[in-house]
Amino acid sequence: MQGGVFTQVGRIESRDLPIPQPQRGEVLLKVAGCGVCGTDHHIFDGELTRGVAPPVVLGHEIATRIEAVGPDVDGLTPGQFCAVDPVIGCGVCPACRSAQPNLCNNTTTIGYKLNGGFAQFLTAPARNVVPLDESVGIAGAVLCETLACVLNGYDRLEFAASSSALILGAGTVGLLWAQVLANSPCRKLIQTEPVDYRRDKAAQLGADLVLDPDADALSARVRRDLPDGVDFIIDATGSADAITQALPLLAPAGTLMIFGVCPAHERVQLSPYDLYEKEAKIIASKMPPNTLERSARLIESGRIACDQIVTATRPLGALADAVAGFVDNRQSQIKVAIDPWA
Ligand SMILES: [Zn+2]
Ligand SMILES: [Zn+2]
């Protein structure tokens, strides 16, 4: 089979690989499409190394069909269309035993340490696979994992009716957050995004007000509508500068959600006194612990405009360029998916 192998920082090679065999409790999956994510870009750039074991096939936003099932697999049959939860915890540490494998220190995550979705086939534990209705298409299945992450973040916010929110960034994550909040009792939803094309998407997909953080007087404009500030700031940029800029806009008793993955060396400037005055909270959300099933049902409901987010499909031969060019692609794409059979 064909696969794109991350061999070292700055290098992804197209290789002919053996088709893996499903072991006990595993399924063999035929990849229909796999999304290129900001974390793939961070791994490629060498900014994210924890839990990554090259040579490895990256790709954790996987739309697949079950090709074969290994021994002791119940309830899954060849031909089923599926999404994949990439997180595999050690199973024995306190985090794993409290159903939070995303916080395990010894994860063997698919697309980080185990071969992922930028190949024609992969194997995965059957318990990490969630069947999806065919009607959601490849875009719906590709976004299922990211939406599961957003639902985990949403649960951690304890969002209340009459809350206001500011989402930083209108890439895949920001646009999924906007749609989840647009379906919630959110009083006012503001979104910032420097790229014109993405601001148009944000306005179309749920934000009440969309601002350019570089051009608009962000603070004055937000406070015109929300004089006390915003109840929830959700970072979907993974940029410490964006967080530093927005943090003073937090309302009393407000919460900052760290959601986008910042490069490990970045630092946010904050005023401890300001946070004290506001009794503010800073929380974070990391990967989906057990929200994939809910994400699948939400995507099947048709309330998430997946086709508006997956804006391009590329062949495996274009993988290295798609990962390396992740930042430049922001001008014209939201989510690029790889079709390993194209
Ligand atoms: Zn991702
Ligand atoms: Zn563990």
Side-chain angles (χ1 to χ4, degrees):
M1 69 165 186
Q2 292 301 306
V5 181
F6 169 66
T7 53
Q8 56 176 288
V9 170
R11 191 155 183 87
I12 289 175
E13 295 174 13
S14 285
R15 285 192 187 168
D16 199 17
L17 302 167
I19 296 176
Q21 293 301 308
Q23 305 300 308
R24 188 168 299 278
E26 289 185 342
V27 287
L28 175 65
L29 300 169
K30 182 177 180 180
V31 177
C34 184
V36 176
C37 177
T39 53
D40 297 319
H41 177 73
H42 287 325
I43 291 170
F44 181 81
D45 260 8
E47 287 164 343
L48 197 160
T49 55
R50 195 159 177 244
V52 182
V56 67
V57 175
L58 303 180
H60 56 271
E61 302 177 356
I62 310 166
T64 73
R65 202 173 287 284
I66 295 177
E67 181 75 5
V69 298
D72 295 339
V73 172
D74 295 324
L76 294 173
T77 49
Q80 276 181 307
F81 192 54
C82 296
V84 179
D85 179 350
V87 181
I88 301 171
C90 73
V92 295
C93 74
C96 285
R97 281 183 304 180
S98 60
Q100 291 179 298
N102 56 328
L103 304 184
C104 173
N105 277 325
N106 284 305
T107 48
T108 45
T109 300
I110 294 169
Y112 286 61
K113 196 173 272 186
L114 300 177
N115 283 340
F118 296 139
Q120 291 177 323
F121 294 94
L122 76 153
T123 50
R127 65 174 183 280
N128 285 58
V129 169
V130 170
L132 268 170
D133 195 273
E134 299 274 350
S135 63
V136 306
I138 290 174
V142 159
L143 293 177
C144 199
E145 188 268 343
T146 314
L147 183 64
C149 297
V150 170
L151 292 176
N152 177 50
Y154 180 78
D155 291 348
R156 290 176 55 69
L157 286 187
E158 298 172 33
F159 211 82
S162 83
S163 298
S164 57
L166 169 62
I167 300 172
L168 311 179
T172 301
V173 166
L175 293 172
L176 288 175
W177 264 103
Q179 293 183 76
V180 167
L181 292 184
N183 279 297
S184 79
C186 179
R187 172 166 59 101
K188 181 95 184 172
L189 176 56
I190 303 175
Q191 195 155 9
T192 59
E193 167 59 51
V195 176
D196 295 355
Y197 161 73
R198 294 183 160 206
R199 277 201 305 280
D200 293 343
K201 287 269 184 190
Q204 190 189 332
L205 292 179
D208 301 314
L209 175 65
V210 185
L211 300 171
D212 179 348
D214 299 331
D216 301 323
L218 182 65
S219 171
R221 185 62 193 88
V222 170
R223 287 194 186 277
R224 196 199 304 168
D225 287 12
L226 300 167
D228 294 332
V230 282
D231 299 313
F232 295 95
I233 296 175
I234 296 143
D235 178 58
T237 64
S239 157
D241 288 345
I243 298 170
T244 297
Q245 180 193 24
L247 198 50
L249 286 169
L250 213 51
T255 300
L256 166 69
M257 159 64 71
I258 306 280
F259 192 89
V261 183
C262 286
H265 64 270
E266 287 199 5
R267 296 291 179 269
V268 171
Q269 266 188 20
L270 57 81
S271 158
Y273 180 76
D274 188 42
L275 298 177
Y276 158 78
E277 275 291 335
K278 292 172 176 171
E279 252 192 8
K281 276 193 272 189
I282 298 178
I283 59 175
S285 173
K286 183 194 171 195
M287 305 189 95
N290 39 40
T291 42
L292 194 73
E293 186 83 44
R294 247 170 80 206
S295 171
R297 301 295 86 83
L298 180 54
I299 284 176
E300 285 172 348
S301 78
R303 281 181 289 163
I304 305 294
C306 298
D307 288 335
Q308 291 291 322
I309 295 180
V310 178
T311 50
T313 303
R314 301 266 187 267
L316 204 49
L319 172 64
D321 285 346
V323 173
F326 185 83
V327 174
D328 294 339
N329 285 341
R330 286 178 183 163
Q331 301 299 327
S332 57
Q333 304 293 348
I334 305 293
K335 171 70 70 188
V336 174
I338 299 295
D339 176 354
W341 299 92

